[in-house]
Amino acid sequence: MNIKWAALADTAGISFVVTVAVVAAFALGILALAKRDTAVESGTGRGTLALTGAAVCFTACAAVTAYGISLIAG
């Protein structure tokens, strides 16, 4: 059996980067929702931009997750 160490390192590195990116996007989405709640509670605005940003972050997370599941299942 011959292990391709370079390919294994590439896969591990890409997996790490994608994982960090998804976690960061999810955290930014949670932060945007918190900012929206603060804006609504203080009466300074409706927080529409923050809600849109949160939706974009959560959609990106869902898309990456769906793609990963399709890679595993396919």
Side-chain angles (χ1 to χ4, degrees), residues 3-68:
I3 298 174
K4 296 180 182 177
W5 292 104
L8 181 63
D10 286 346
T11 302
I14 291 170
S15 297
F16 179 75
V17 169
V18 169
T19 301
V20 169
V22 169
V23 169
F26 191 81
L28 286 174
I30 296 294
L31 179 65
L33 285 179
K35 295 289 184 183
R36 178 188 180 271
D37 287 344
T38 303
V40 169
E41 288 175 1
S42 67
T44 58
R46 295 181 305 194
T48 306
L49 184 61
L51 184 61
T52 303
V56 168
C57 289
F58 294 142
T59 302
C61 291
V64 170
T65 303
Y67 179 67

